[in-house]
Amino acid sequence: MDSLINLLVAAVLAGTPLLFGTLGEILTEKSGNLNLGVEGIMFMGGVAGLAGAYYYERAAQDPSGLLALLIAIVCAFLCGAFGSLIYSVLTVTLRANQNVTGLALTIFGTGFANFFGEVMAGQSESGYAAVGDTVKAAFAGIHIPGLSDIPVAGRLLFSYNILVYLGVAAALALSWFLRRSRKGLSLRAVGESPQTADAAGINVTRYKYAATCVGGGICGIGGMYIVMVTCGGIWVHDCVGGKGWIAVALVIFAMWSPARALLGSLVFGALSIMRLYVPLGIPTQLYDTFPYVATVLVLVFVSLRRRRENQPPASLGVPYFREDR
Amino acid sequence: MAFAWRSRVCALRHCSITGAPGCGPGAKGECGTNNPNAIEVRNLTKRFGEVVANNKVCLSVRRGEILALLGENGSGKTTLMNMLSGIYFPDEGDILVGGEPVVIRSPRDAYALGIGMIHQHFKLVDVFTAAENIALGLEGGPVIDRRALARSIREISGRYGFDIDPDKKVYDMSVSEKQTVEIIKVLYRGADILILDEPTAVLTPQEADRLFAVLRSMRDDGKAVVIITHKLGEVMALSDRVAVLRKGSYVGSVETAQTSPQALTEMMVGRAVALDIDRPEVQRGEERLKVVDLTCISAEGVTMLDKVSFSAYGGEILGIAGVAGSGQKELCEAIAGLCPVQGGAILYAGQVGGVEVHENLVGKSPMEIIKKGVALAFVPEDRLGMGLVAGMDVIDNMLLKSYRGSRGPFVDRGPARALAQQVVDRLAVVTPGLTAPVRRMSGGNVQKVLVGREIASSPEVLITAYPVRGLDINSSYTIYHLLNEQKQRGAAVLFVGEDLDVLLELCDRILVLCGGRVSGVVDARWAGKEQIGLLMTQTGKGDAQ
């Protein structure tokens, strides 16, 4: 029982960066943009978030943990949005191929983050870029008197860091936005049939830019989570390590539904930390393949399903020309 | 950008003040009258590069009338209406709505003026419900009030006699339901001038009648309705007045009650045309093709053809009628070997070594089937999608069917060039040259090349699907003539068509498909449109003969 709770708690913690990446990519893809640069954008958000908190902590006389957390979120969001802005300019305005642009963005973001991460490490006295204990504490699990002390439920529901709750809130908000709001309806129309949206007076270009940049910002927060929570506030070379790609696969697993992304990121989070909690007596390298094997299985399974609502947005990956308008 | 825009508007205003020749006040036409016109255009001109699509067109639509806009392909009907609905911007001329000059820059401007256009290709999002499609792009609060929306949709439906479920998804809808959603979308935005571009092209006769009833009730409600069409029967049945365009110019308009199809055709074409399609009497020949219990299931698991059985004979044209998507495409493709067959047989009577045999074509490759003398000329919705390669010239497209015949590693273009020249000469194909890509030719000419190539191989069985799709009257008659020639030569011709009038006049027998099943085979000499229309919507007991 205890080990099951431990596994679940660890799965939530490991799944949260995937959740952010998935939510950001769902928003992006709903506008018809297939951004394969999630990995690179998470890297960019990660290094920017660390840099924000790190330099704030060094500059401030009496650093506040909560303010450092906010600065990290804002920096990660802006840097992720910046990465997606590059993507949007290339694919929406200049109509470059979306797949190629996304792959290039992954390579760019990885290099960008590793470069600045090393620069930060090189400039510090200790030789590595790490935040202090005050800031670290802001990214640690919360403790709500009373609620967190409830046996089992307290640990399962009220023991995580603030970013976990932010992720869940973002998923619910995105779900509401896409299903209920007027702008959400317009965004879905842009992703399904930009011609129809255009004829209905919706500014297709503006929606594509906005969704892609906000989506990139959300992905960036996922990268920041990896650096600040998973790695404990220290820059680790190649820290994102493929999580961005799993997020892209999770979008398909979730069939473009933010609510299902919650479940998906929990499952994939559990798979990625299983070797620590479920001894099966197999080499660790095999454990490490689980998320990827699951991704392949999911892709096969999802392609068998035929409900129209679960299909990708109809114009996904197709640039829109107004043509002879 | 904005600057250039303003100068264009100025040019427009300037033109209206000076009053270019054509049809200003006092000139012929109706522009000068004081009728309560819902919308009026004066001297409207639109050029696309060198081509003048509309040349000083004048037209008015009154409140409470249905105006049919008639003209051949390329006569500028759709261009004119696109200028009213904000898709194109006119180069010269004025548009007046309710007597006031207006500038229409976008579909949104058109809506604001009460002009709504229902395009030939529906602009709907498949995964949305009817209500969501109708509300798309409208201003309002952050959340859509779905209950109020559904209520006003039902209110509009009730007023004009529509039948629509606001919560039904578009992908579950029939073509006529989708059209209904488009019409409600326009009405919901408060349009009182409705423009419909070939609205009946995809409807069964019964659905078309229902649409006409709705349009009449809109007219009685005081709305102005413009319907673009080239079906004369509809013009006579529905409209109050007819305006005719020819080669981009306005020819004139007449009260429907005071004209006849013959007179309208002459206005449209510019000279007298015989409207009857020839049906030469030919002795029915041997049974060429016998299809038995043919069943096809699509990759999605939908049964597209369900135990279809029929025979086709030499020296006759067998028409195939049905609502779009009833299995016509699958039937053509199954016979040509392009579509996997789950059950049944396609027996082909041919000669092997001088002996008459029945061979099953199922399981044979398309190449083997072509060699046996079965030719398929299929013209899909986008016209170029199947049969010809858009980026290749006429010669290379001819070569597609014959290059395997020549020996050696090199391609011999000689015979293909001769064949291409022959097709171009005989069918009067208008082309910039044999070496120009076929995509640069107009739709009608492309279709002539396609049909010409298939006929050139002197097939025993010729399958043509929608060969006159989108063609004007003259080109259509050329194609009908070609098919009759093949019939007289003794070939079995399968003609998949949309226009029931044409099917009834051209074919000897008509097979009707409904939902992948044969709902009946009728003799075209005696059958009526209503009978076929009924068969198109109901699956009869169903075997051939």
Side-chain angles (χ1 to χ4, degrees):
Chain A
M1 188 63 197
D2 224 30
S3 65
L4 181 66
I5 294 169
N6 283 340
L7 174 68
L8 279 174
V9 169
V12 170
L13 289 172
T16 302
L18 299 177
L19 177 63
F20 278 109
T22 309
L23 293 177
E25 182 66 5
I26 286 175
L27 184 60
T28 305
E29 292 195 9
K30 278 288 178 187
S31 75
N33 276 352
L34 177 64
N35 187 351
L36 292 181
V38 178
E39 175 91 358
I41 291 167
M42 285 175 82
F43 262 114
M44 291 171 77
V47 78
L50 175 67
Y54 177 73
Y55 287 115
Y56 159 73
E57 190 187 31
R58 292 182 58 166
Q61 295 292 327
D62 181 21
S64 141
L66 203 62
L67 193 57
L69 175 72
L70 273 178
I71 290 173
I73 291 174
V74 170
C75 288
F77 184 90
L78 289 180
C79 197
F82 168 70
S84 290
L85 183 67
I86 301 175
Y87 173 88
S88 303
V89 171
L90 288 172
T91 61
V92 180
T93 305
L94 302 176
R95 289 170 196 147
N97 180 293
Q98 296 192 359
N99 295 338
V100 176
T101 309
L103 293 175
L105 190 58
T106 287
I107 298 167
F108 170 77
T110 309
F112 175 96
N114 281 329
F115 174 77
F116 285 107
E118 299 305 327
V119 167
M120 274 163 60
Q123 284 174 349
S124 68
E125 306 81 36
S126 53
Y128 52 89
V131 294
D133 288 339
T134 329
V135 175
K136 244 193 244 174
F139 289 90
I142 52 164
H143 186 272
I144 306 168
L147 286 177
S148 302
D149 299 328
I150 304 169
V152 185
R155 274 203 66 205
L156 277 179
L157 297 175
F158 305 107
S159 70
Y160 306 109
N161 61 71
I162 293 171
L163 289 172
V164 172
Y165 302 105
L166 184 70
V168 174
L172 298 177
L174 186 60
S175 183
W176 177 87
F177 172 76
L178 289 174
R179 285 171 54 175
R180 290 274 162 251
S181 76
R182 194 180 289 272
K183 287 207 155 52
L185 186 72
S186 301
L187 176 66
R188 277 159 57 208
V190 167
E192 290 289 339
S193 170
Q195 294 82 5
T196 304
D198 201 12
I202 295 166
N203 189 330
V204 173
T205 306
R206 192 186 296 167
Y207 269 89
K208 280 189 173 242
Y209 263 90
T212 307
C213 290
V214 173
I218 296 172
C219 291
I221 295 175
M224 185 271 282
Y225 183 101
I226 294 170
V227 177
M228 301 306 286
V229 178
T230 315
C231 301
I234 303 171
W235 179 256
V236 179
H237 196 83
D238 279 344
C239 54
V240 176
K243 290 200 175 62
W245 292 111
I246 294 180
V248 173
L250 260 174
V251 173
I252 302 166
F253 177 88
M255 291 176 282
W256 293 267
S257 148
R260 275 192 291 254
L262 283 171
L263 176 70
S265 54
L266 186 68
V267 170
F268 276 61
L271 288 173
S272 67
I273 44 93
M274 249 176 82
R275 72 182 148 98
L276 301 175
Y277 296 88
V278 187
L280 292 176
I282 52 173
T284 52
Q285 287 86 347
L286 275 182
Y287 276 103
D288 290 344
T289 63
F290 284 174
Y292 302 95
V293 172
T295 305
V296 171
L297 291 178
V298 163
L299 287 173
V300 170
F301 177 70
V302 168
S303 68
L304 294 175
R305 295 204 161 198
R306 291 202 187 97
R307 275 193 64 199
R308 292 290 295 271
E309 279 81 359
N310 297 340
Q311 297 302 311
S315 80
L316 185 63
V318 185
Y320 175 59
F321 301 85
R322 197 184 255 193
E323 285 177 318
D324 54 355
R325 266 288 304 274
Chain B
M1 187 65 208
F3 199 75
W5 167 250
R6 210 161 289 144
S7 69
R8 265 171 107 185
V9 176
C10 290
L12 179 90
R13 295 255 160 77
H14 177 70
C15 159
S16 74
I17 294 161
T18 54
C23 56
K28 64 150 192 169
E30 62 251 282
C31 293
T33 58
N34 288 323
N35 273 320
N37 288 334
I39 191 163
E40 188 175 337
V41 302
R42 287 184 187 161
N43 298 317
L44 220 54
T45 297
K46 178 73 187 171
R47 297 183 195 89
F48 294 106
E50 295 285 293
V51 184
V52 183
N54 279 158
N55 186 17
K56 294 195 173 140
V57 173
C58 300
L59 187 71
S60 65
V61 190
R62 297 172 201 143
R63 273 181 239 289
E65 80 165 354
I66 298 177
L67 177 82
L69 188 58
L70 191 64
E72 291 193 279
N73 286 101
S75 60
K77 306 180 297 269
T78 304
T79 307
L80 179 62
M81 290 302 124
N82 276 342
M83 285 193 279
L84 299 186
S85 63
I87 308 255
Y88 298 141
F89 190 79
D91 294 332
E92 286 165 31
D94 282 313
I95 300 172
L96 287 81
V97 173
E100 297 289 317
V102 294
V103 176
I104 303 172
R105 263 167 282 180
S106 68
R108 195 163 259 230
D109 288 359
Y111 280 134
L113 291 165
I115 304 169
M117 181 154 171
I118 290 110
H119 295 269
Q120 213 175 343
H121 303 284
F122 302 138
K123 292 194 186 292
L124 295 173
V125 179
D126 266 1
V127 295
F128 285 8
T129 62
E132 285 172 329
N133 266 295
I134 289 163
L136 190 65
L138 288 178
E139 309 279 338
V143 184
I144 295 162
D145 183 351
R146 280 158 199 269
R147 208 171 294 160
L149 178 66
R151 205 182 316 123
S152 47
I153 290 171
R154 290 214 177 83
E155 194 261 320
I156 292 173
S157 311
R159 185 164 4 132
Y160 297 109
F162 292 118
D163 180 25
I164 195 85
D165 172 10
D167 295 323
K168 194 170 182 180
K169 299 266 186 179
V170 170
Y171 59 74
D172 280 332
M173 290 184 180
S174 69
V175 186
S176 100
E177 281 176 297
K178 287 182 195 174
Q179 189 177 54
T180 306
V181 175
E182 283 279 20
I183 295 174
I184 296 177
K185 191 164 134 186
V186 165
L187 292 174
Y188 186 80
R189 285 160 167 76
D192 44 29
I193 302 162
L194 276 99
I195 303 167
L196 296 101
D197 191 356
E198 302 206 15
T200 59
V202 287
L203 302 183
T204 63
Q206 280 79 7
E207 288 169 334
D209 283 342
R210 265 206 303 280
L211 173 70
F212 290 170
V214 166
L215 294 180
R216 284 192 194 102
S217 74
M218 284 181 195
R219 170 190 63 192
D220 299 340
D221 200 37
K223 295 192 185 302
V225 179
V226 182
I227 159 168
I228 301 178
T229 182
H230 49 224
K231 292 186 190 168
L232 291 168
E234 290 174 2
V235 173
M236 299 307 292
L238 178 69
S239 68
D240 301 308
R241 214 156 51 91
V242 194
V244 181
L245 290 183
R246 182 168 69 225
K247 289 177 183 156
S249 298
Y250 174 69
V251 178
S253 65
V254 284
E255 302 287 329
T256 310
Q258 292 160 14
T259 187
S260 66
Q262 190 64 43
L264 287 174
T265 311
E266 288 179 26
M267 278 175 86
M268 203 158 77
V269 182
R271 58 183 163 76
V273 174
L275 268 188
D276 298 324
I277 302 173
D278 221 18
R279 176 162 45 201
E281 290 297 325
V282 176
Q283 180 65 40
R284 188 155 104 172
E286 298 285 310
E287 187 181 51
R288 288 280 174 218
L289 198 65
K290 188 177 171 65
V291 174
V292 187
D293 285 346
L294 186 65
T295 302
C296 288
I297 297 169
S298 73
E300 284 80 37
V302 182
T303 304
M304 301 308 291
L305 289 178
D306 190 6
K307 298 204 166 157
V308 168
S309 301
F310 67 91
S311 294
Y313 299 87
E316 77 158 4
I317 299 181
L318 175 66
I320 295 173
V323 185
S326 300
Q328 297 97 320
K329 181 169 183 241
E330 287 73 19
L331 180 60
C332 295
E333 292 190 352
I335 297 173
L338 298 171
C339 170
V341 171
Q342 268 70 29
I346 303 166
L347 300 174
Y348 175 70
Q351 303 230 324
V352 174
V355 188
E356 192 82 0
V357 287
H358 278 77
E359 264 188 294
N360 194 351
L361 295 183
V362 173
K364 296 235 181 334
S365 75
M367 200 61 207
E368 287 173 294
I369 294 172
I370 289 170
K371 279 204 182 126
K372 290 191 187 305
V374 179
L376 170 67
F378 188 97
V379 179
E381 278 89 352
D382 60 358
R383 291 195 190 175
L384 257 179
M386 201 163 148
L388 297 179
V389 180
M392 291 186 357
D393 63 24
V394 183
I395 299 171
D396 285 356
N397 270 302
M398 295 293 163
L399 208 54
L400 276 181
K401 276 230 160 164
S402 62
Y403 73 95
R404 285 189 185 82
S406 63
R407 268 175 295 151
F410 299 106
V411 170
D412 178 11
R413 280 201 168 70
R417 178 182 296 276
L419 178 61
Q421 193 61 55
Q422 191 190 326
V423 168
V424 166
D425 291 346
R426 261 202 71 212
L427 306 187
V429 177
V430 180
T431 161
L434 291 180
T435 51
V438 291
R439 88 152 70 79
R440 283 214 240 131
M441 295 159 48
S442 78
N445 289 307
V446 170
Q447 275 156 262
K448 283 186 199 167
V449 169
L450 176 62
V451 176
R453 184 185 70 188
E454 299 308 324
I455 288 173
S457 61
S458 301
E460 295 295 324
V461 176
L462 174 66
I463 308 164
T464 53
Y466 316 111
V468 296
R469 181 171 251 160
L471 290 193
D472 58 32
I473 291 185
N474 274 324
S475 307
S476 300
Y477 277 76
T478 313
I479 302 265
Y480 301 146
H481 184 64
L482 285 171
L483 296 182
N484 275 330
E485 269 184 16
Q486 294 303 307
K487 167 180 158 184
Q488 282 163 320
R489 195 177 57 79
V493 180
L494 265 64
F495 177 82
V496 183
E498 295 171 302
D499 192 334
L500 290 185
D501 294 317
V502 170
L503 281 166
L504 283 169
E505 286 190 52
L506 177 71
C507 302
D508 299 289
R509 288 185 304 146
I510 298 174
L511 175 141
V512 188
L513 285 175
C514 174
R517 312 185 68 152
V518 177
S519 55
V521 178
V522 296
D523 190 319
R525 285 176 188 81
W526 315 114
K529 234 169 128 174
E530 295 69 31
Q531 186 189 354
I532 296 177
L534 277 176
L535 287 171
M536 281 163 77
T537 48
Q538 68 189 27
T539 312
K541 291 288 167 287
D543 38 342
Q545 309 298 335

